[in-house]
Amino acid sequence: MLAAIAQRSFLVLLLLAGGMMLASWIERIRLLRAAGETRLPDPGAFWPGFAARTGLLLGIFIITLGILALFRDTSLARGFGWPDLLIAGGTTLAAYLMNLASARMAMGQVNIVATQLNASFAPGTRPGTGPDDIIEGEFSAPDER
């Protein structure tokens, strides 16, 4: 939307999609490393993700530009300059930071689940005593038998 509001070239959308894919790729590698994997993410998933992001950004760009054209004269930039790099770089940085926050939250949740699973499999008996029995709703300790 910022590219449309600033009346920049539609080519900045390719940079935006590439930057978003780069941020996503870095986070995928980070999550695979955290899970103990040594392989890289599937490279075949790069191009469909790039195409989907480009299509989404183009759709938002065209709709925003159409709404702006209703209220004012619009003329897109013919060249590629520093505002385009600023828009693409800022958006890539924002996407990277959001993916970083998401990965940290995911690792926190994984640690919580792992702790709960480990606690549920811990032995429930006290050391030095035999197993306690519950027979028909009554509790009986081994020393009371």
Side-chain angles (χ1 to χ4, degrees), residues 47-83:
W47 292 112
F50 181 77
R53 284 169 175 81
T54 302
L56 177 68
L57 291 173
L58 276 171
I60 292 170
F61 183 80
I62 291 169
I63 290 170
T64 306
L65 197 62
I67 292 171
L68 289 174
L70 294 173
F71 301 104
R72 66 178 186 176
D73 291 335
T74 57
S75 62
L76 294 177
R78 295 181 189 270
F80 193 79
W82 67 267

Side-chain angles (χ1 to χ4, degrees), residues 1-87:
M1 287 176 38
L2 184 60
I5 291 170
Q7 297 183 21
R8 302 308 306 164
S9 172
F10 70 92
L11 295 175
V12 73
L13 302 178
L14 296 176
L15 276 179
L16 285 169
M20 290 168 69
M21 284 302 299
L22 177 67
S24 176
W25 197 262
I26 290 169
E27 289 308 313
R28 285 181 189 186
I29 292 172
R30 181 178 292 154
L31 285 174
L32 283 174
R33 296 296 180 263
E37 292 282 337
T38 57
R39 64 180 175 85
L40 289 175
D42 180 24
F46 181 83
W47 292 112
F50 181 77
R53 284 169 175 81
T54 302
L56 177 68
L57 291 173
L58 276 171
I60 292 170
F61 183 80
I62 291 169
I63 290 170
T64 306
L65 197 62
I67 292 171
L68 289 174
L70 294 173
F71 301 104
R72 66 178 186 176
D73 291 335
T74 57
S75 62
L76 294 177
R78 295 181 189 270
F80 193 79
W82 67 267
D84 299 313
L85 293 176
L86 187 64
I87 290 170

